[in-house]
Amino acid sequence: MFYYDYHVHTNFSLDSDAPMEDMIKKAIELNLKEIMFTDHVDYDYPDEDTDFFIDYDQYLLTFNEIKNKYSNKIDIKLGVEMGLQPHVAKDINDLIDKYDFDFIIGSTHAADKLDLYNGDFFKNKKQNEAYRRYFENVLENVSTLEDFDVCGHLDFIIRYGDFREKKLNYNDFSDIVDEILKTLIKKDKGLEINTSGIVYGFNQTHPQLPILKRYKELGGKILTIGSDAHSPDNICAYFDKAYAMAKQVGFNEITTFKNRKPNFIKI
């Protein structure tokens, strides 16, 4: 049995049509103990037609109603997937200070203020050059920003760019990836295993196994597992593989959060 899903989106995220209650019903069907809603907030997202912002006063009306309704069946927690960019640090801090989040995923959805999804970031870059520059942005984000708990979908850059083979070899980027992992560990930040890479046909989690293994070797302890589900059908998708990966590299515990404080449970 799986304990939780710590990366879930609802129709409060621009890229999901799933009502919060539908996600809860599926989580209860799967006998989850907890579910963490992590809808998108991305300040100054480079695509002007894409608005990744949430009115949390309105959000909490729905969230608290659902949380109370199902309180005897599942622990529903308030999280957010925050798009990290150094120049929006004040906006991030102001939002986090205003609301009582349990958990914050820090994700890099834009690099050099350019959109990954629409391809702008990849223009005039070779594949390895683009991937390295993306990791350099991630390193800057996790080094300079504080208001996050785990680094989200670390190597998801493979999803984007008009390249023939969408693959990334850890050994080609071990120097910069190791710096990211060391920075997370030094700052008591964690890493997530995000199973959406399998859902989307890339035959890997984010991060891939060698990166997860390296995180453990370097002393990483804080590990969450999330599906990045945008619909009920993908809640806990491929979590059997995620749990197996975690155990394979030596993790015996995964991390839960409440009021931004980590706790550890056996797997």
Side-chain angles (χ1 to χ4, degrees):
M1 185 189 77
F2 306 127
Y3 191 85
Y4 65 51
D5 191 331
Y6 257 44
H7 193 148
V8 174
H9 295 281
T10 74
N11 56 6
F12 283 93
S13 289
L14 184 66
D15 53 358
S16 173
D17 296 321
M20 193 177 287
E21 189 163 18
D22 288 359
M23 303 299 270
I24 290 298
K25 288 178 179 178
K26 181 63 176 181
I28 292 171
E29 180 183 323
L30 293 170
N31 293 315
L32 298 189
K33 301 294 185 183
E34 297 181 11
I35 189 167
M36 185 72 72
F37 285 119
T38 55
D39 283 300
H40 285 294
V41 173
D42 264 90
Y43 291 105
D44 197 27
Y45 191 77
D47 184 346
E48 294 180 357
D49 296 326
T50 303
D51 183 13
F52 284 118
F53 182 72
I54 295 171
D55 179 346
Y56 271 96
D57 291 331
Q58 186 65 39
Y59 186 95
L60 286 170
L61 294 177
T62 301
F63 177 86
N64 288 327
E65 179 183 354
I66 297 294
K67 182 178 176 68
N68 291 333
K69 182 176 180 179
Y70 293 98
S71 61
N72 64 334
K73 294 182 178 180
I74 188 170
D75 190 3
I76 303 171
K77 292 184 173 180
L78 181 65
V80 59
E81 183 180 13
M82 186 67 70
L84 301 183
Q85 297 186 82
H87 71 284
V88 298
K90 185 179 185 305
D91 295 310
I92 294 173
N93 295 342
D94 288 348
L95 182 70
I96 301 307
D97 288 344
K98 187 175 180 180
Y99 299 100
D100 294 326
F101 291 101
D102 288 300
F103 176 64
I104 299 166
I105 300 171
S107 296
T108 299
H109 295 133
D112 295 333
K113 299 184 181 180
L114 296 171
D115 195 347
L116 304 180
Y117 178 80
N118 70 8
D120 284 351
F121 172 73
F122 297 92
K123 291 178 180 177
N124 302 315
K125 292 185 182 77
K126 294 181 179 179
Q127 187 169 8
N128 275 16
E129 177 188 0
Y131 289 177
R132 178 165 291 276
R133 185 60 194 144
Y134 162 77
F135 283 129
E136 289 171 351
N137 273 258
V138 175
L139 179 58
E140 181 182 14
N141 289 339
V142 301
S143 297
T144 60
L145 299 173
E146 299 297 332
D147 265 329
F148 70 98
D149 299 310
V150 303
C151 179
H153 49 57
L154 179 55
D155 60 4
F156 92 134
I157 188 69
I158 65 169
R159 296 184 194 175
Y160 308 112
D162 188 20
F163 304 121
R164 185 169 59 86
E165 278 195 304
K166 293 192 173 186
K167 293 183 179 179
L168 185 153
N169 187 329
Y170 160 70
N171 291 327
D172 292 338
F173 306 97
S174 60
D175 55 338
I176 185 74
V177 171
D178 283 7
E179 284 303 310
I180 293 169
L181 299 177
K182 289 175 184 177
T183 300
L184 294 173
I185 293 165
K186 182 178 179 180
K187 297 176 73 170
D188 293 323
K189 308 296 185 184
L191 192 67
E192 79 158 351
I193 301 177
N194 183 308
T195 60
S196 65
I198 305 174
V199 173
Y200 294 140
F202 292 98
N203 197 34
Q204 66 153 83
T205 59
H206 302 305
Q208 58 188 258
L209 180 61
I211 296 176
L212 180 65
K213 180 181 179 183
R214 186 61 176 147
Y215 174 65
K216 177 64 174 175
E217 289 173 347
L218 290 169
K221 296 179 180 179
I222 297 174
L223 184 71
T224 62
I225 300 178
S227 65
D228 209 342
H230 288 67
S231 66
D233 289 344
N234 284 332
I235 292 178
C236 290
Y238 299 102
F239 270 32
D240 54 341
K241 293 189 177 183
Y243 275 61
M245 282 176 55
K247 291 178 179 178
Q248 180 180 341
V249 303
F251 283 98
N252 297 313
E253 299 173 320
I254 56 174
T255 314
T256 65
F257 280 84
K258 184 175 183 180
N259 299 325
R260 308 283 311 279
K261 296 185 183 302
N263 296 285
F264 298 90
I265 61 167
K266 296 288 185 181
I267 56 173

